Amino acid sequence: MKKIIRIGFILLLLAFFAGGTAYYFIYWPNTQVKDKGIIYIQKGDSFETVLATLQSKGYVEKVYTLRKVAGWKKYPAYIKSGRYRIQNGMSNNALVNLLRSGNQEAVNFTFHNVRTFQQLAGLVSHQLEMDSLTFLQTVQNPEISRELGFSRENFKAMFIPNTYQLYWNITPRDFVYKMAGEYKKFWNTARREKAAQAGLSPEEVIILASIVEEETVKPEEYPIIAGVYINRLKKDIPLAACPTLKYAWGDFTLQRILTKHTEIDSPYNTYKYLGLPPGPVRLPSIPVIDAVLNYQKHDYLFFCAKSDFSGGHHFSRTLRQHNQYARQYHEALNRKRIYQ
């Protein structure tokens, strides 16, 4: 009888020890985080790579116990890429569950001051786990732009500069459709009504805003310049917008537009062709888009940069008055030896 009791006691101790060991392995705190706790798991990373990342950050105190729990929960077969936030004092169970579930934390993706899809691709590849070439192939796919209701030329109008919350490992296609959703949110009823009152579609508003933003560095001039161009559109007068010529030539460093520049045969040559160009010359910021929607109603038909190079403009009602300002500006360019 004593022998049976002794064996039972030993078995009880073993069970207690095994349970305690399991609890220690699974539920005992095993992370030490003193910073933001962010790790990135790339597509194709192995379990050993994930462990090495956690170790290099100093986030895991006992790697052996984490390895055991990860094996019990078959995490090596379910590794998911992403951007994860590790909390201080997490157990192995909680850590493996987080990584195995793919429950990652979104990033704030920001883009501003972008003219081309190539520039946007560079920003995307720096802030997200996305290859710039694959991104370019996606946004330049005419089937996708057509599916979303855009032409290949005006597709850039859908990408409104702002800060968006995205998953770090978002695919190029999902990124595009996320922007499509944000575009629909942006063009609410109030904005669409204002566009209609100006006689423009949402895409045309953005095309015009892209020209306005290239014309001036002074935000207070946005609605005035927008008013000039809308006046010209309504009177069937060529926009004669220098930014569209720079876009057509692929050279935004041009400081002086010459006659030879106006002779280029391009749909973006608004000196030669009436109306708006087929697409935006940049991705205009929200303040400029709203300035176009709230354009200033006036009777100006011309504007010219001031000869003091302050970045401001003179606005004119008549060509005669405009030519006087233009002469002053050209003389100032000559004095500075700016000939192109």
Side-chain angles (χ1 to χ4, degrees):
M1 187 67 177
K2 289 182 179 180
K3 185 176 181 181
I4 294 174
I5 293 172
R6 190 180 300 111
I7 292 173
F9 181 72
I10 291 172
L11 290 174
L12 183 63
L13 283 176
L14 289 173
F16 181 80
F17 177 77
T21 301
Y23 181 88
Y24 173 75
F25 272 63
I26 298 172
Y27 298 110
W28 198 262
N30 194 31
T31 62
Q32 183 174 336
V33 179
K34 296 180 180 179
D35 55 19
K36 292 182 179 179
I38 298 296
I39 67 165
Y40 294 89
I41 299 177
Q42 309 271 352
K43 287 177 184 175
D45 277 358
S46 66
F47 175 59
E48 294 302 323
T49 303
V50 175
L51 273 184
T53 299
L54 290 166
Q55 284 183 280
S56 68
K57 295 275 192 176
Y59 292 159
V60 177
E61 293 183 328
K62 298 174 179 62
V63 176
Y64 172 74
T65 62
L66 175 59
R67 187 187 294 277
K68 278 291 186 184
V69 174
W72 294 339
K73 299 179 79 71
K74 299 184 173 156
Y75 170 59
Y78 294 95
I79 293 173
K80 296 178 181 177
S81 66
R83 176 184 185 269
Y84 298 90
R85 183 181 293 275
I86 312 302
Q87 303 289 343
N88 186 49
M90 293 179 79
S91 66
N92 288 327
N93 187 62
L95 177 56
V96 172
N97 284 348
L98 170 70
L99 301 178
R100 193 176 186 273
S101 69
N103 187 20
Q104 60 178 303
E105 185 172 279
V107 300
N108 288 324
F109 173 75
T110 301
F111 65 98
H112 293 289
N113 196 28
V114 173
R115 288 193 177 109
T116 66
F117 273 144
Q118 286 77 11
Q119 289 176 332
L120 182 58
L123 293 173
V124 163
S125 65
H126 278 90
Q127 297 185 52
L128 304 170
E129 188 202 27
M130 198 183 299
D131 175 67
S132 59
L133 180 59
T134 307
F135 173 81
L136 278 176
Q137 290 172 341
T138 302
V139 296
Q140 292 173 346
N141 184 337
E143 292 182 7
I144 291 178
S145 56
R146 187 165 53 249
E147 184 180 327
L148 291 169
F150 293 84
S151 68
R152 188 169 185 174
E153 291 76 20
N154 71 12
F155 192 34
K156 280 192 301 186
M158 194 188 78
F159 297 78
I160 297 177
N162 208 340
T163 297
Y164 300 97
Q165 282 211 317
L166 305 172
Y167 287 124
W168 174 71
N169 61 343
I170 190 171
T171 66
R173 187 179 181 86
D174 286 344
F175 176 90
V176 168
Y177 279 83
K178 169 70 173 177
M179 292 299 103
E182 295 295 337
Y183 180 85
K184 289 178 182 177
K185 290 179 189 175
F186 177 82
W187 282 104
N188 54 31
T189 301
R191 283 194 172 104
R192 286 184 178 276
E193 287 178 352
K194 287 182 178 180
Q197 289 167 9
L200 302 170
S201 68
E203 293 77 26
E204 289 173 331
V205 169
I206 290 179
I207 291 171
L208 181 52
S210 74
I211 298 171
V212 171
E213 189 163 28
E214 286 287 346
E215 290 282 21
T216 182
V217 296
K218 293 184 176 294
E220 63 270 20
E221 290 189 344
Y222 292 156
I224 310 173
I225 294 175
V228 171
Y229 283 133
I230 288 176
N231 287 344
R232 285 178 160 259
L233 289 171
K234 288 179 177 178
K235 291 179 180 291
D236 284 332
I237 299 173
L239 295 184
C242 295
T244 64
L245 285 183
K246 294 178 182 180
Y247 185 88
W249 283 95
D251 186 359
F252 279 92
T253 66
L254 290 174
Q255 294 180 275
R256 189 168 190 164
I257 298 299
L258 306 175
T259 301
K260 67 177 183 180
H261 296 129
T262 66
E263 294 171 350
I264 186 171
D265 188 16
S266 165
Y268 286 87
N269 184 348
T270 56
Y271 281 74
K272 179 178 285 191
Y273 297 104
L274 284 174
L276 291 163
V281 299
R282 68 177 293 121
L283 307 187
S285 61
I286 291 175
V288 188
I289 297 171
D290 284 335
V292 171
L293 291 173
N294 298 283
Y295 71 95
Q296 191 176 116
K297 295 177 176 61
H298 51 61
D299 56 359
Y300 295 132
L301 288 173
F302 308 93
F303 64 96
C304 178
K306 291 182 177 179
S307 57
D308 61 1
F309 297 101
S310 62
H313 292 81
H314 292 294
F315 295 89
S316 306
R317 295 174 176 83
T318 67
L319 181 58
R320 181 179 179 180
Q321 186 180 36
H322 170 70
N323 285 339
Q324 290 175 351
Y325 290 132
R327 192 177 303 111
Q328 293 172 11
Y329 182 62
H330 292 151
E331 289 172 354
L333 289 174
N334 291 337
R335 286 194 295 272
K336 286 184 171 288
R337 298 182 181 278
I338 298 172
Y339 302 118
Q340 61 182 6

